[in-house]
Amino acid sequence: MSGTRRRFFQDAAVFGAGLFGLRETLHAGAPESTVQSPRENENGRHHSPYGSHGPHPAQARAVVRDHALPMVTPDVADLAHEMDGSVKVFHLVGEPVKRKIAPFKTIDAWGYNGSCPGPTIQVQQGDRVRVVFENRLPESTSLHWHGLEIPIEQDGVPYISQKPVAPSEKYVYEFTVHQEGTFFYHAHSAMQEMMGQIGFFVAHPEKDYKPRVDHDYGLILQEWAVLPSNTVPNTAAMEFNWLTFNGVSAPMTTPLLARLGSRVRLRILNLGMDHHPVHLHGHQFVVTGTEGGRAPESTWCPMNTVLVGVAQARVLEFEAKYPGAWMIHCHLPHHMMNSMMDLMRDRQIETADQTEAKAMGQMESLARSVPFQHVHPSPVAPNAETVAGFPQDAFMEMGMDEVVEKPETYGLPKNWSAGMMGMMTMIRVLSDKEYEAILSKKKSASPSAPEEHHHES
Ligand SMILES: [Cu+2]
C-alpha cells in the first residue's frame, strides 16, 4: 500500500466516511449545479486525501449553472465539503507535504491536506462557511482569510485575534462570505508562508460576471530556496532557485486548455518574496479583478503582462482567438529557469572555456542521472567557442517530454519541454477536434473524472 493510500485511510478514519460520500454541489441546494470534481494528477505526483474520490460519472454529467463554473487549479485538487444544515463545512489539515516540483526534485514543504499549495476552496457569495482546521505541524499556527471581510475573531492572527492553534489541536473558523472574488487562505506566520502554506479561496458571485467565461483557471506563484542535494526550503533566504506555478516548475506544469474562440479567465495569486510580471503570449487580456473582487469595466485596458505583487491576486480575461500553445510565464529571466545547481550537485556549471563536446558530455551525464530523455542540442555556430560569452543557453535545453507526459501534453511538438522552465505554463488554444481528443484521453486516464463543463445555452 502506498503512503498516499495509507494516509487516505488514516484521514478517512479521522473524519469519518461521511465526508467522502458527499460531493456537494458548488451552489448548495441548486439541483442543476454540477458537482465539483477533484482533479487527480495523472502522474500520481500529487494527491489530496480528499481529492481521491471523484464524483459518480452520472453526477458529473449534470448541467452546470453559469455562475457556478468552477475554477480549475491545475496540479492542485479542490477541497470537498459537506453540509451541516445550510453551512458548508470544510476540513483543512495543516501538515508537512512532500512535493515533487520537478522530475528530479522533491522538496519537504508544508501545506494542507497532503497538498502544497493547499487544496482550492470554492464557495458561493453569501455562503455560510465553516472550516474545521487541524494542526498536524510540529509547531503552532493559524489560518488567515486573506481579503475577506469577516469578524476579527475569524482573522487568524496569533494572539491578536485568536490563541495560536497548537500542534494536534483543532480550531473552527466560521463566517459568512458576503464578497465575491479571488481570495486565499494562509498561515499568518512568515516562515510558514514560505514553506508553502497557502491555498485559493474563491467566492463565486451571486450575480454572474459579464461577459461570462468558458474556462476559469487559477495559478499560485511561489518561490523556493533549496540548496543542492537538500529537500528543505530555506525560508530565510532572499534568493530563490526554484519557481513554481501551483507547486510545480515547468515543464511539469499541466497545460491549460481552451477551445478556440472561447473566453478564458485566469486568476493569478502571489505569495512569496518577489513580484512577478506574468506575460501571456499571442493574446491581449484585460484585468477584470484583483484580490479585492471584480473591477469595474471602465478600468479594463488591454495588456499582455501584468505585475502580480506579493499578496495580490490579478484576474485576467481574454478571448482565445489564435490556435497554438501559448506561453504564460513570469518574465523575470531568472524565474524562467530551474535550478541548474541541483543537477550539478556541488560543481559549478562550467561555461567559460569549455568545448561543445565537453559541455554536451557533461550535460548528457547529468541527463542519465535524472529521468531526462536527453539533452536537446540546438545548433551552435562552428566558431562558437571563439565568441566571448559563449555558451549562454546552449546545451541547457533538456527534453523531458516523456517524463512529464499527460493527456494535456498530447500532440505538442517533439522536444516541447526543452523550452519550458521555472514559473511557466502554457495555454493550448485548440480546435474542437483537438480539444475533444484530449478530453477523451483525460477520461480514459482517470475514468472517474467528470466531463468538462460547457456553456451551450
Ligand atoms: Cu517572477
Side-chain angles (χ1 to χ4, degrees):
M1 187 188 266
S2 74
T4 307
R5 294 293 297 164
R6 206 158 36 237
R7 270 180 38 116
F8 168 74
F9 287 115
Q10 284 166 356
D11 289 331
V14 170
F15 292 114
L19 178 64
F20 302 95
L22 276 176
R23 301 296 312 178
E24 290 295 337
T25 56
L26 188 62
H27 188 74
E32 66 270 50
S33 295
T34 191
V35 289
Q36 258 181 280
S37 64
R39 281 170 295 280
E40 287 187 339
N41 186 292
E42 300 78 9
N43 294 344
R45 67 179 178 264
H46 169 79
H47 286 279
S48 160
Y50 308 103
S52 50
H53 277 207
H56 189 275
Q59 284 178 293
R61 275 191 284 276
V63 179
V64 69
R65 286 174 69 103
D66 282 351
H67 66 272
L69 176 71
M71 183 186 78
V72 171
T73 319
D75 303 306
V76 171
D78 275 0
L79 187 61
H81 66 272
E82 56 192 346
M83 297 302 294
D84 178 9
S86 59
V87 183
K88 282 183 181 166
V89 183
F90 295 88
H91 293 268
L92 204 53
V93 180
E95 60 186 352
V97 172
K98 288 214 183 289
R99 182 57 152 158
K100 192 179 207 178
I101 59 172
F104 49 89
K105 188 73 177 177
T106 297
I107 63 170
D108 283 293
W110 289 3
Y112 300 94
N113 299 50
S115 177
C116 178
T120 293
I121 296 177
Q122 306 202 48
V123 304
Q124 199 74 37
Q125 183 178 21
D127 277 347
R128 183 76 178 170
V129 174
R130 182 183 307 147
V131 179
V132 180
F133 174 64
E134 184 185 346
N135 181 12
R136 290 191 204 157
L137 295 171
E139 60 187 41
S140 296
T141 188
S142 63
L143 275 182
H144 171 60
W145 307 95
H146 192 108
L148 287 173
E149 297 174 357
I150 51 179
I152 183 65
E153 298 77 32
Q154 309 302 324
D155 195 46
V157 179
Y159 301 108
I160 304 275
S161 61
Q162 70 168 84
K163 204 165 68 97
V165 186
S168 80
E169 268 186 13
K170 284 190 180 180
Y171 193 93
V172 178
Y173 296 89
E174 185 166 328
F175 45 81
T176 300
V177 180
H178 74 84
Q179 298 154 274
E180 51 69 29
T182 308
F183 308 102
F184 46 115
Y185 62 88
H186 63 79
H188 207 273
S189 309
M191 302 303 206
Q192 293 175 3
E193 289 173 21
M194 290 309 292
M195 280 295 274
Q197 297 218 271
I198 180 178
F200 268 114
F201 185 101
V202 169
H204 294 280
E206 246 156 32
K207 211 169 158 234
D208 296 357
Y209 294 138
K210 290 215 168 48
R212 71 184 184 192
V213 296
D214 307 285
H215 305 278
D216 193 336
Y217 290 108
L219 295 174
I220 294 181
L221 317 185
Q222 289 171 291
E223 48 194 359
W224 313 88
V226 193
L227 289 170
S229 306
N230 269 251
T231 60
V232 180
N234 176 1
T235 54
M238 295 290 165
E239 286 184 18
F240 303 91
N241 55 350
W242 286 99
L243 289 301
T244 57
F245 277 162
N246 292 343
V248 282
S249 275
M252 241 175 119
T253 44
T254 298
L256 318 184
L257 306 177
R259 282 179 194 270
L260 183 62
S262 64
R263 187 175 175 88
V264 180
R265 177 179 300 129
L266 178 57
R267 310 172 193 241
I268 308 172
L269 193 170
N270 176 17
L271 193 62
M273 289 286 295
D274 287 297
H275 314 301
H276 302 285
V278 178
H279 176 55
L280 167 69
H281 285 208
H283 295 77
Q284 315 308 319
F285 58 71
V286 289
V287 174
T288 60
T290 72
E291 67 283 350
R294 190 76 167 172
E297 199 168 335
S298 58
T299 66
W300 302 0
C301 62
M303 50 175 86
N304 50 59
T305 307
V306 64
L307 187 63
V308 188
V310 174
Q312 290 185 329
R314 288 292 175 266
V315 181
L316 328 177
E317 288 180 20
F318 57 96
E319 306 291 339
K321 284 186 194 169
Y322 307 108
W326 302 103
M327 299 283 103
I328 298 168
H329 65 95
C330 173
H331 219 297
L332 290 186
H334 281 194
H335 293 183
M336 300 167 64
M337 295 180 184
N338 291 335
S339 174
M340 295 302 294
M341 294 313 294
D342 255 283
L343 305 179
M344 308 306 290
R345 307 291 168 184
D346 299 329
R347 289 175 289 164
Q348 291 292 323
I349 302 174
E350 295 175 30
T351 55
D353 57 355
Q354 64 186 349
T355 63
E356 179 177 347
K358 193 175 162 195
M360 285 304 296
Q362 191 178 34
M363 297 304 276
E364 289 288 2
S365 73
L366 285 169
R368 279 196 296 277
S369 70
V370 292
F372 290 161
Q373 282 167 270
H374 58 90
V375 179
H376 174 60
S378 308
V380 299
N383 68 336
E385 284 145 33
T386 67
V387 178
F390 175 83
Q392 294 297 330
D393 291 289
F395 319 129
M396 296 293 176
E397 300 141 311
M398 294 184 209
M400 356 180 176
D401 295 8
E402 284 169 24
V403 180
V404 299
E405 187 180 340
K406 60 194 87 163
E408 289 87 345
T409 65
Y410 174 69
L412 284 170
K414 191 169 167 358
N415 280 322
W416 67 271
S417 60
M420 300 275 296
M421 281 183 276
M423 219 173 227
M424 188 177 287
T425 186
M426 62 169 75
I427 182 155
R428 301 187 64 190
V429 180
L430 303 164
S431 68
D432 283 345
K433 196 175 153 211
E434 294 166 321
Y435 190 89
E436 300 296 344
I438 292 180
L439 281 203
S440 79
K441 278 189 175 293
K442 280 176 79 171
K443 258 186 111 112
S444 46
S446 173
S448 67
E451 293 184 351
E452 292 275 308
H453 311 298
H454 300 263
H455 285 279
E456 284 161 353
S457 51

